[in-house]
Amino acid sequence: MKDAKVIATALKEFKRNNRFVIQKVGARAAIEGMMRSSVPNYKVVYGKPRLHAAIFVADQIIDEKTGLFFAVETELVDQVLSEIQQALTEMEEKGMQLKIEIKEKSSGEEDEDERLLFKTLRVTEGLVKVLVRRSVRPEFNMKKRAARKYLKRLQTVAGPELSTLKLATEISLSIGGA
């Protein structure tokens, strides 16, 4: 996990200090590197470490400060979402309860697993929102200077594909349930 945090910090610092624009190839390398370094490979990994790694990578994609927001391809988002789904199925096979019950706000008592599931829902929704926001061309509603700055950083305008929406829906239904 330490290497993944170093990669994320480096992306933020490059973007902040040098006006660094990450390309598609760099985004692919950063995401694969963060995923590879986050999941321990020295032991048999079931769901939780894999889920933590996928949530961390998804948070970095959602954060505009890293630059991955502008350069990540839909295929990589599908890869992160499939890691989340695979981790959730492994956790369910180990006997963890995945359904979240909506409680009153006053209770305030949530265990670690429930917080992790809420975070998973938030990240899944955030990834889909990133793709939708990028594909509806927000520069048309921006002022001229802001639009020029946005387009300079933007590398791809690909929106969510059917597979992305399917994965996000399956994750949401497995946790939230209907």
Side-chain angles (χ1 to χ4, degrees), residues 119-139:
K119 202 174 203 179
T120 304
L121 280 176
R122 181 188 57 79
V123 161
T124 303
E125 179 187 8
L127 285 175
V128 173
K129 281 185 178 179
V130 161
L131 293 175
V132 169
R133 181 174 151 212
R134 205 173 56 183
S135 69
V136 294
R137 308 291 302 251
E139 68 270 11

Side-chain angles (χ1 to χ4, degrees), residues 165-177:
L165 296 174
K166 182 181 177 194
L167 280 170
T169 304
E170 288 175 359
I171 291 169
S172 299
L173 287 176
S174 69
I175 295 175

Side-chain angles (χ1 to χ4, degrees), residues 46-48 50-51 81-96 98 117 167 170-171 174-175:
Y46 71 100
K48 274 192 184 177
R50 181 173 289 162
L51 186 61
L81 286 174
S82 65
E83 283 288 325
I84 290 174
Q85 185 182 26
Q86 184 178 0
L88 288 173
T89 55
E90 289 173 358
M91 289 168 66
E92 191 172 34
E93 288 172 359
K94 292 288 184 183
M96 183 180 162
L98 290 183
L117 293 175
L167 280 170
E170 288 175 359
I171 291 169
S174 69
I175 295 175

